[in-house]
Amino acid sequence: MRAGIRTRVPAFLWGKMVRVLLLSLLTVATLAVGTDLVLAAEAEKAEKPYKITDGKVDKKTFNGWRRYTESCLRCHGPDGAGSSYAPSLVDSAKRMSQDEFNEIVINGRTNVSAASENVMPPFGTVEDVVSYLDDIWAYLTARADGALGRGRPPRIGE
Amino acid sequence: MKAMKSSRFWVVGSLVALCASGASANDELIKLSKDPNQWVMPTGNYANTRYSELNKINKENVKNLRPLWTFSTGVLRGHEGGPLVIGDVMYVATPFPNNVFALDLNHSGQILWKYEPKQDPTVIPVMCCDTVNRGVAYGDGKIILEQADTTVVALDAKTGKEVWSVKNGDPKKGETMTNAPMVVKDKVIVGISGGEFGVPGHVTAYNLKDGSKAWRAYSVGPDDQILVDANTTELGKPVGKDSSLKTWQGDQWKVGGGDTWGWYSYDPQLNLIYYGSGNPSTWNPVQRPGDNKWSMTIFARNPDTGVAKWVFQMTPHDEWDYDGVNEMILADLNVKGQPVKALVHFDRNGFAYTLNRETGALLVAEKYDPKVNWATRVDMQTGRPELVKQYSTQAGGEDHNTKQVCPAALGTKDQQPAAFSPKTGLFYVPTNHVCMDYEPFKVSYTAGQPYVGATLSMYPPQGDNHLGNFIAWDARSGKIIWSDPEPFSVWSGALATAGDVVFYGTLEGYLKAVDMQTGKELYRFKTPSGIIGNVNTYTHGGKQYIAVLSGVGGWAGIGMAAGLTKDTDGLGAVGAYKALANYTQLGGVLTVFGLPE
């Protein structure tokens, strides 16, 4: 074979091919974007661990607030807002992934130095906390997203 | 001045010599507490009046007061309590890690010695309401410290070396210590904290000489544990057998609480110590039917044996966490035309009680904040509050949000101690002005874990946008005489002086002086951090000083740091939901004030 064979496309077919090609590309692109949008929407819905309807929260998120108050408030203040000596978990939820959050809650974190005596205890063996990590995360994420304000969240059905 | 200094040394020296020869440490302390130039115990004196005869600083010249020297404690948590001044040495205790400093007032506060205990930091998260410490006590040449990890340690006052050390509890079970010990005769009286962890409360007496245990009295449980006998009365009637156990169901009393983390007072003539017990566990009243005796109770006990002479329960079957631990001020008053050895107590529950401290008879019980609403009154025959169903969290039940209850759980006053002036016959009281929604829910007990069982939202009373008042109170009639509103709860201990001035600190960090008669502000200075400590006074070299610790924290640092809840309309720019964090940051500084030369 001779190198550099050029396939000769008849001129009338060339235009048609381009049009078909463009149309296919457009279709594929549209399909791709459309799928992306659908996937993104589903992903967004799937990503939110909380459900809020008319300002009222689902059972999981309410339970997160309750468990937070029982086990976390005494250091981190009411509604995840922070105290004079422990950080705002609303801020933490903005910057952390759920995995990072879980790791700290389960294993604890110590920050002891000349100017600081902050100890986050490990809750890995505390049933009341570790069984409800998802719920607590749901509540804090709702707060971090600005979807939920301060105070006791009203429950769906209340 | 020199003569005064050396004569004071002589007095202290000779008293120490007396002690060495076996005389009672009590006599020394009584004598020292009557010397207004010194501040020998955290409460100022055994009666807890927080009143000083010093009058060089008075209502005419206090406007010229200024900070003269300062000392950084090196710790950044809530600084409750205040310094002792004995002779020419000032003793300062810090929040966790509970360092103790002895400062030489003759040499610009140079550190004579410091004690730096090594404590396991895992005790920190077991302290419900910040890692505070309310101060050290002095007795028989020793400085006594209650450490967070429940170690009670006696240090040589001259050298800071450990003389003895005992363990009073176990942080693994949620037990910690925050309060100031009291030396009574040859004993050290200490308490225990942990009402939010189901810790059974008790008061323990250790022998001052060697730290051996003398007695322990529980707040809740069998008679031989709570140290009551056939002569123990409540409102004149014997409490009878099993007075505590009868008021609990099943084994709930074993995690019943009634912790003893507040202040103690002592009457040397009657030979009685007085203190109050804290909340029953859990915060969910549905889980503990019964009156839950003897939580929320004023105790009068014999300091030699611990046996209770009389008791009085203020909030039977608590539904709101109104701990009864606030100070018991001993004052001789004319009540309804009769002179009475009185005991006055400003309870968390919003009622100010006046009792006969000899017999435990109830004389007066009135609201010291008009917004208190959970009860209409206290029945003077039975001593029981008459509840308002709407604000009863028991009536509302589990998983129901009971709303608009006043006061909030932190009470119309928490541990921040009031002062009494024998000149005016009035009390000067730092108060909170906060209400709450409270929703109980079922919880189970695990040693060392929170045993709370209620959620809480706090906010000021409807229509108000301030969170505190500093008031003058007449305990004879049960009336507010004057009231100064404050933007935040007044979380510091007050000081009243013969100079007709009352001092207190604010959460933004102001040290304030007000006119004792009118409450008019005469002086203010913004210290480095919010004040939750107690204002003390002393002299050195013939000059009067005012000393106070700054360092925001405590429960105020938890509940108010980020502002309170409920963004309600109509409160304007100066609205109530301001955050304390907008006004102050963490700190740890002692400031000493005086008049210019």
Side-chain angles (χ1 to χ4, degrees):
Chain A
M1 283 225 216
R2 263 178 26 203
I5 281 182
R6 276 208 314 240
T7 313
R8 290 209 51 215
V9 179
F12 75 94
L13 270 182
W14 181 251
K16 256 205 187 127
M17 272 181 67
V18 168
R19 276 201 295 280
V20 167
L21 187 60
L22 277 175
L23 188 58
S24 320
L25 279 173
L26 193 58
T27 310
V28 168
T30 309
L31 277 172
V33 170
T35 309
D36 264 355
L37 278 173
V38 169
L39 277 174
E42 275 176 9
E44 236 179 58
K45 276 193 224 150
E47 266 167 23
K48 293 302 169 215
Y50 56 86
K51 185 171 136 194
I52 302 183
T53 314
D54 290 332
K56 299 190 180 182
V57 305
D58 61 354
K59 193 164 163 206
K60 179 181 174 192
T61 308
F62 183 84
N63 191 43
W65 177 74
R66 180 174 272 190
R67 296 292 158 195
Y68 172 89
T69 302
E70 177 77 4
S71 305
C72 320
L73 183 150
R74 70 182 187 280
C75 292
H76 288 281
D79 315 320
S83 75
S84 62
Y85 58 87
S88 156
L89 294 187
V90 174
D91 288 344
S92 302
K94 287 180 188 161
R95 335 176 244 103
M96 264 182 211
S97 69
Q98 187 173 5
D99 282 343
E100 287 168 308
F101 174 78
N102 288 348
E103 195 274 325
I104 296 175
V105 176
I106 289 169
N107 296 318
R109 195 158 70 170
T110 298
N111 187 8
V112 172
S113 68
S116 156
E117 304 272 355
N118 295 329
V119 174
M120 162 77 184
F123 285 97
T125 55
V126 180
E127 265 193 56
D128 272 356
V129 173
V130 84
S131 314
Y132 303 110
L133 276 178
D134 284 350
D135 297 4
I136 297 174
W137 178 252
Y139 169 71
L140 290 173
T141 309
R143 293 273 293 123
D145 286 352
L148 197 55
R150 294 286 305 270
R152 176 189 180 280
R155 277 178 288 205
I156 290 169
E158 253 179 9
Chain B
M1 289 209 201
K2 263 207 171 130
M4 252 179 83
K5 238 175 31 192
S6 52
S7 76
R8 198 193 308 161
F9 263 127
W10 181 88
V11 166
V12 176
S14 68
L15 284 169
V16 169
L18 271 176
C19 297
S21 75
S24 165
N26 182 20
D27 294 336
E28 176 198 21
L29 278 172
I30 294 177
K31 212 166 193 142
L32 286 174
S33 71
K34 292 190 173 138
D35 178 6
N37 299 299
Q38 307 182 72
W39 193 277
V40 71
M41 54 183 80
T43 51
N45 53 40
Y46 279 128
N48 281 219
T49 59
R50 305 197 60 79
Y51 175 76
S52 172
E53 294 285 357
L54 295 176
N55 60 6
K56 287 193 177 162
I57 297 172
N58 57 50
K59 65 179 181 188
E60 269 81 45
N61 62 26
V62 72
K63 62 181 188 291
N64 301 321
L65 203 65
R66 60 195 58 176
L68 294 181
W69 62 272
T70 58
F71 173 76
S72 173
T73 64
V75 176
L76 289 175
R77 293 289 282 254
H79 282 61
E80 292 184 3
L84 297 186
V85 174
I86 302 168
D88 295 312
V89 182
M90 176 183 278
Y91 300 91
V92 181
T94 77
F96 189 97
N98 303 137
N99 298 333
V100 180
F101 298 94
L103 306 180
D104 184 352
L105 295 177
N106 287 335
H107 293 100
S108 314
Q110 194 172 338
I111 300 171
L112 286 167
W113 56 257
K114 63 183 166 184
Y115 173 70
E116 293 173 305
K118 292 289 162 265
Q119 300 183 67
D120 184 347
T122 60
V123 73
I124 294 172
V126 187
M127 300 177 83
C128 81
C129 310
D130 202 0
T131 55
V132 298
N133 184 285
R134 296 186 190 96
V136 290
Y138 167 81
D140 192 28
K142 294 183 258 293
I143 293 289
I144 321 286
L145 169 72
E146 285 186 33
Q147 293 180 191
D149 66 1
T150 76
T151 305
V152 183
V153 62
L155 309 170
D156 183 306
K158 287 204 181 66
T159 64
K161 296 261 183 299
E162 185 183 300
V163 177
W164 54 255
S165 161
V166 301
K167 209 84 196 298
N168 193 49
D170 182 3
K172 298 268 179 299
K173 296 194 204 148
E175 299 174 349
T176 56
M177 282 161 74
T178 59
N179 74 331
M182 187 169 69
V183 175
V184 175
K185 299 163 95 169
D186 59 349
K187 298 195 171 45
V188 180
I189 313 291
V190 302
I192 197 91
S193 300
E196 280 59 54
F197 291 83
V199 168
H202 51 69
V203 161
T204 311
Y206 291 96
N207 290 312
L208 180 57
K209 190 158 183 283
D210 59 9
S212 53
K213 189 151 101 178
W215 53 259
R216 170 172 286 177
Y218 283 81
S219 302
V220 170
D223 293 346
D224 61 353
Q225 260 191 223
I226 63 174
L227 300 191
V228 300
D229 64 12
N231 299 318
T232 311
T233 59
E234 184 183 32
L235 295 184
K237 294 199 204 58
V239 300
K241 271 180 61 109
D242 295 332
S243 59
S244 167
L245 289 179
K246 281 194 304 206
T247 65
W248 293 84
Q249 246 182 36
D251 279 347
Q252 187 66 27
W253 65 270
K254 291 183 180 168
V255 290
D259 293 89
T260 52
W261 52 272
W263 300 97
Y264 306 140
S265 48
Y266 170 55
D267 184 325
Q269 270 79 52
L270 298 176
N271 198 34
L272 289 171
I273 59 171
Y274 303 92
Y275 67 94
S277 58
N279 60 293
S281 300
T282 81
W283 285 30
N284 177 355
V286 177
Q287 285 185 253
R288 42 169 173 81
D291 273 354
N292 308 137
K293 292 186 189 329
W294 290 98
S295 65
M296 311 311 212
T297 295
I298 302 178
F299 289 87
R301 291 191 185 274
N302 178 310
D304 304 311
T305 61
V307 175
K309 181 178 183 205
W310 60 259
V311 294
F312 172 61
Q313 188 183 41
M314 296 170 282
T315 311
H317 190 65
D318 167 69
E319 305 170 28
W320 310 273
D321 190 49
Y322 294 147
D323 289 51
V325 302
N326 293 346
E327 70 285 4
M328 308 292 164
I329 305 179
L330 310 182
D332 294 346
L333 303 173
N334 265 313
V335 183
K336 301 182 173 70
Q338 297 294 322
V340 178
K341 287 184 197 280
L343 176 155
V344 176
H345 168 78
F346 297 92
D347 197 65
R348 286 261 286 270
N349 71 10
F351 286 89
Y353 294 85
T354 306
L355 282 83
N356 179 318
R357 66 179 185 265
E358 193 166 5
T359 65
L362 178 62
L363 304 170
V364 180
E366 296 290 344
K367 297 177 185 180
Y368 63 106
D369 180 329
K371 294 285 163 91
V372 172
N373 65 11
W374 64 281
T376 52
R377 59 185 283 272
V378 172
D379 182 313
M380 297 305 286
Q381 304 310 315
T382 63
R384 297 183 78 95
E386 288 178 5
L387 304 189
V388 177
K389 187 156 180 224
Q390 183 185 353
Y391 304 118
S392 162
T393 69
Q394 168 75 42
E398 287 175 335
D399 305 317
H400 171 82
N401 197 22
T402 301
K403 295 189 177 182
Q404 305 278 354
V405 183
C406 308
L410 45 73
T412 301
K413 191 178 85 61
D414 204 323
Q415 57 80 37
Q416 59 268 37
F420 168 70
S421 167
K423 274 178 88 174
T424 58
L426 299 180
F427 292 78
Y428 302 94
V429 192
T431 74
N432 312 324
H433 193 60
V434 187
C435 302
M436 67 175 174
D437 299 343
Y438 185 113
E439 179 170 358
F441 61 95
K442 200 181 287 304
V443 283
S444 54
Y445 171 76
T446 306
Q449 291 305 322
Y451 187 50
V452 180
T455 58
L456 199 56
S457 296
M458 299 198 298
Y459 44 85
Q462 266 182 337
D464 288 336
N465 64 6
H466 66 288
L467 301 172
N469 292 299
F470 189 80
I471 68 171
W473 174 261
D474 188 331
R476 300 163 289 205
S477 55
K479 292 210 170 15
I480 297 174
I481 303 303
W482 51 254
S483 179
D484 288 345
E486 283 285 343
F488 293 99
S489 293
V490 188
W491 211 269
S492 81
L495 169 74
T497 74
D500 299 324
V501 182
V502 181
F503 293 89
Y504 66 92
T506 75
L507 278 176
E508 310 104 296
Y510 287 103
L511 172 74
K512 289 193 176 180
V514 303
D515 183 307
M516 197 178 264
Q517 299 294 339
T518 63
K520 176 164 178 262
E521 185 181 301
L522 300 171
Y523 173 79
R524 68 160 65 181
F525 179 83
K526 191 151 198 250
T527 65
S529 177
I531 297 177
I532 60 171
N534 306 331
V535 188
N536 296 349
T537 188
Y538 66 95
T539 66
H540 181 72
K543 188 181 160 95
Q544 183 183 1
Y545 297 93
I546 305 290
V548 68
L549 282 168
S550 302
V552 76
W555 197 353
I558 297 165
M560 293 184 195
L564 299 190
T565 55
K566 285 205 176 171
D567 304 315
T568 306
D569 295 338
L571 282 153
V574 198
Y577 310 115
K578 45 182 161 275
L580 186 56
N582 292 343
Y583 290 81
T584 188
Q585 294 291 293
L586 295 175
V589 176
L590 175 80
T591 312
V592 179
F593 297 80
L595 294 169
E597 289 304 316

